[in-house]
Amino acid sequence: MGRMMFVNLPIRDMARSRAFFESLGFGFNPQFTNEMGACMVVSDPHNYVMLLVEPFFQTFTPKAIADATQTTEVLICLSCDSREEVDALVAKARAAGATVPRPPQDHGFMYGHGFTDLDGHMWELTYMDLSAAPPTP
């Protein structure tokens, strides 16, 4: 049986974060979404991102919450079906208020780009053409 994965991210403003990710084409599972947390569907039925407002997020850990605008706590990487999809998602993110910290990276068989969301979390987007990947030594 495959495992489900839930990435939990602290956010400051639920309405703002939901609007941002909806503008990128992500949906939310209403069964697990309220004013404290939102279950963003990355790929149903296995991969989700839980957007949790900071006070609620804090109830899950005794540690301080990292300020993602100052430090990197995680890099989230999503696969895409093409280079064009990578570029289109970065463009949508930028239009919705994200920052783009570096230019695209082209490694021939692998192409990637990314953005920093409204709360400072870094999202990497990648397309890989495995038929063009170098052979395993």
Side-chain angles (χ1 to χ4, degrees), residues 83 107-110 127-135:
R83 291 171 180 250
H107 302 285
F109 75 99
M110 184 170 60
Y127 165 71
M128 288 191 291
D129 178 358
L130 295 178
S131 69

Side-chain angles (χ1 to χ4, degrees), residues 12-120:
R12 291 180 185 89
D13 183 315
M14 179 60 71
R16 184 174 177 235
S17 291
R18 278 198 61 180
F20 173 80
F21 286 107
E22 286 170 344
S23 77
L24 300 182
F26 291 102
F28 290 85
N29 181 334
Q31 185 177 7
F32 301 107
T33 299
N34 60 31
E35 67 280 352
M36 300 302 286
C39 180
M40 185 173 85
V41 179
V42 176
S43 66
D44 212 14
H46 297 293
N47 297 295
Y48 307 91
V49 172
M50 295 299 299
L51 303 175
L52 306 174
V53 293
E54 288 180 347
F56 185 56
F57 185 95
Q58 189 67 72
T59 67
F60 294 94
T61 180
K63 296 181 181 182
I65 297 173
D67 179 351
T69 65
Q70 302 297 313
T71 185
T72 301
E73 84 284 22
V74 66
L75 295 173
I76 303 152
C77 185
L78 301 178
S79 64
C80 293
D81 291 330
S82 67
R83 291 171 180 250
E84 294 77 19
E85 184 183 14
V86 169
D87 292 337
L89 278 172
V90 170
K92 285 180 184 179
R94 180 179 282 159
T99 59
V100 179
R102 62 184 189 161
Q105 306 293 307
D106 190 345
H107 302 285
F109 75 99
M110 184 170 60
Y111 178 79
H113 203 184
F115 62 88
T116 302
D117 72 19
L118 305 177
D119 289 287

